[in-house]
């Protein structure tokens, strides 16, 4: 039954065309569950962040500081940024949505790449704008294809760098070329949710582009390397005019005190961060080597997850079912147009060894 009545309140055009975001599965029946479907941290959060959260939860009757000054200061210090150009949000998802809301209207177009993060088309359609998809080559965004789709109606380009679910990235040179090819009124959003994991020295998350131009925003999150996905905390680094716009339209208290305190403590725990990064690098390499040995094709990834390619959509589905029956939850990515692939997040040592073992068993048994 269609729940929407033509005589009732009508949403913004485009909203009813949205396919709601479907998060990775949470669990399977019985036994131990290894959730490797949401790119969550395998090592959790800094105990200092958890303690700061618990401490601030003793006292909840007051509104937060709406400007989240202490957290923005901590982010600015950590990354060497201009504090007034940082805007925080309830996850970077909120900031992506706010950017789309501020800069898109019906009739406008916004471009994202073929296997780009599915929050982008949702944010674009929510505002009645048209999502334009630029084809990728080898599961990698293509600057030429993006620029070829810029029209007089284009207002935004969304690019996750590195991208989820492919794990690929564009080099600093490619991003500079992309930016150079865009008209000054087109806003380039560089989503750096996985920026902290990237070891490649030709990568750049985009700080200088933001500081030197009026049409580039970088978004970042505490959900991935900091292991605080449940907290809902992210930030955007913006040119002054865009920070001003976001500050006008965001909820006045969109970041809670416990989130702010946990975020600050996480930023201060450099040792925990370094260990989390070393853990990821070690196990990404191990998983890539071991799974390649099993004969599966893997898209080279610089994030905390791998895209595994099977022979067919059917085989990927059978692998997904085989693994879930054994408590291993991977992410099906058919909604991204990748029906023959599964995405695997780096897990604990136990989970990583177990998934390789069970994949081997599946591939023999298939
Ligand atoms: C996980 C992820 C985010 C982070 O979203 P939050 O709302 O900050 O949790 C943003 N972009 C991409 C591409 C992601 O994979």
């Amino acid at each position: 039954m269609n729940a929407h009545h033509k005589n009732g309140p009508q949403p913004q055009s485009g909203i009813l065309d949205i396919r709601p975001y479907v998060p990775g599965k949470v669990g399977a029946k019985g036994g131990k569950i290894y959730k490797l479907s949401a790119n969550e941290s395998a090592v959790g959060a800094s105990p200092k962040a958890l303690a700061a959260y618990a401490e601030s939860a003793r006292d909840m009757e007051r509104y937060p500081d709406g400007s989240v000054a202490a957290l923005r200061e901590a982010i600015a210090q950590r990354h060497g940024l201009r504090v007034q150009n940082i805007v925080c949000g309830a996850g970077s998802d909120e900031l992506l949505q706010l950017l789309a809301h501020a800069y898109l209207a019906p009739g406008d177009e916004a471009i994202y790449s073929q296997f780009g993060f599915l929050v982008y088309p949702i944010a674009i359609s929510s505002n009645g704008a048209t999502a334009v998809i630029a084809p990728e080559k080898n599961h990698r965004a293509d600057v030429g294809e993006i620029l070829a789709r810029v029209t007089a109606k284009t207002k935004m380009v969304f690019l996750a760098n590195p991208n989820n679910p492919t794990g690929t990235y564009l080099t600093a040179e490619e991003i500079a070329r992309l930016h150079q090819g865009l008209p000054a009124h087109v806003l380039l959003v560089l989503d750096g949710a996985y920026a902290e994991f990237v070891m490649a020295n030709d990568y750049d998350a985009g700080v200088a582009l933001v500081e030197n131009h009026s049409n580039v925003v970088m978004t970042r999150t505490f959900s991935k390397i900091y292991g605080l996905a449940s907290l809902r905390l992210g930030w955007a680094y913006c040119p002054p005019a865009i920070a001003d716009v976001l500050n006008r339209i965001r909820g006045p208290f969109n970041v809670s005190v416990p989130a702010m305190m946990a975020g600050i403590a996480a930023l201060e725990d450099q040792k925990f961060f370094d260990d989390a990064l070393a853990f990821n690098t070690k196990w990404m390499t191990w998983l890539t080597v071991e799974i390649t040995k099993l004969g599966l094709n893997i898209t080279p990834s610089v994030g905390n997850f791998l895209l595994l390619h099977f022979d067919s959509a059917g085989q990927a589905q059978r692998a997904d079912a085989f693994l879930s029956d054994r408590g291993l939850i991977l992410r099906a990515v058919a909604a991204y147009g990748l029906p023959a692939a599964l995405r695997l997040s780096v897990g604990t040592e136990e989970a990583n060894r177990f998934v390789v073992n069970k994949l081997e068993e599946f591939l023999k048994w298939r």
Side-chain angles (χ1 to χ4, degrees):
M1 192 187 85
N2 186 350
H4 300 282
H5 296 282
K6 70 177 190 312
N7 296 327
Q10 297 301 306
Q12 162 87 271
S13 70
I15 287 182
L16 296 184
D17 300 328
I18 292 173
R19 278 197 286 168
Y21 186 86
V22 182
K25 282 180 294 185
V26 176
K29 39 204 172 307
K32 184 156 183 185
I33 298 302
Y34 300 89
K35 188 180 174 212
L36 305 169
S37 58
N39 299 347
E40 294 152 344
S41 172
V43 297
S46 157
K48 292 178 181 157
L50 301 181
Y53 183 96
E55 179 59 30
S56 66
R58 293 152 62 97
D59 196 9
M60 294 250 210
E61 75 279 16
R62 287 187 213 295
Y63 279 103
D65 162 20
S67 74
V68 270
L71 174 61
R72 286 167 47 241
E73 192 58 56
I75 293 167
Q77 285 238 341
R78 168 72 204 259
H79 294 276
L81 307 180
R82 301 172 186 164
V83 67
Q84 67 278 15
N85 296 11
I86 297 168
V87 179
C88 296
S92 47
D93 277 355
E94 183 190 23
L95 296 159
L96 296 166
Q97 292 282 357
L98 288 174
L99 286 164
H101 184 55
Y103 292 99
L104 294 177
D108 292 340
E109 294 175 357
I111 303 173
Y112 73 103
S113 72
Q114 185 179 1
F115 303 115
F117 190 38
L118 277 181
V119 164
Y120 310 146
I122 294 175
I124 295 164
S125 301
S126 299
N127 295 285
T130 302
V132 175
I133 301 174
E136 298 194 4
K137 294 195 178 117
N138 294 321
H139 301 104
R140 202 166 166 273
D142 186 283
V143 172
E145 297 286 1
I146 295 172
L147 291 178
R149 279 160 185 80
V150 174
T151 71
K153 295 178 179 170
T154 306
K155 294 288 164 59
M156 295 180 84
V157 173
F158 287 95
L159 185 73
N161 197 33
N163 183 52
N164 169 19
T166 54
T168 55
Y169 74 102
L170 296 192
T171 64
E173 186 272 321
E174 288 171 297
I175 297 290
R177 188 150 47 84
L178 170 61
H179 175 257
Q180 251 162 38
L182 294 175
H185 70 274
V186 174
L187 175 58
L188 173 61
V189 179
L190 298 173
D191 174 349
Y194 302 96
E196 292 87 352
F197 293 109
V198 185
M199 306 303 270
N201 49 23
D202 58 356
Y203 171 79
D204 187 276
V207 168
L209 272 182
V210 172
E211 291 182 349
N212 296 329
H213 303 279
S214 58
N215 65 336
V216 184
V217 168
M218 171 184 76
T219 60
R220 302 286 285 263
T221 185
F222 284 85
S223 299
K224 304 288 159 54
I225 196 154
Y226 290 104
L228 293 167
S230 157
L231 194 62
R232 311 309 306 130
L233 188 61
W235 52 281
Y237 195 46
C238 312
I242 293 177
D244 175 64
V245 164
L246 291 179
N247 282 324
R248 287 170 195 262
I249 64 171
R250 69 178 171 84
F253 306 107
N254 61 334
V255 174
S256 71
V257 174
M260 177 170 99
M261 298 315 284
I264 293 169
L267 287 168
E268 284 170 352
D269 196 344
Q270 184 69 43
K271 167 87 167 67
F272 191 89
F273 178 95
D274 292 343
D275 290 348
L277 182 56
F279 180 94
N280 187 70
T281 306
K282 172 182 170 180
W283 288 102
M284 273 291 285
T285 308
W286 186 85
L287 284 166
T288 305
V289 169
E290 295 301 319
I291 296 173
T292 304
K293 274 195 224 156
L294 302 180
L296 283 184
N297 231 323
I298 296 182
T299 302
S301 169
V302 294
N304 65 344
F305 57 90
L306 292 167
L307 192 60
L308 316 183
H309 299 277
F310 292 83
D311 290 343
S312 64
Q315 196 197 20
Q317 277 169 19
R318 288 192 299 280
D320 195 18
F322 180 92
L323 295 171
S324 339
D325 282 348
R326 287 149 185 84
L328 289 157
I329 313 302
L330 274 66
R331 180 66 186 268
V333 283
Y336 281 89
L338 296 164
L342 295 176
R343 193 191 66 197
L344 167 69
S345 309
V346 171
T348 59
E349 172 169 359
E350 181 183 64
N352 297 334
R353 292 190 186 281
F354 191 50
V355 77
V356 167
N357 190 272
K358 292 298 151 190
L359 269 172
E360 182 174 20
E361 206 174 300
F362 169 78
L363 291 166
K364 272 191 199 140
W365 165 94
R366 65 183 156 160

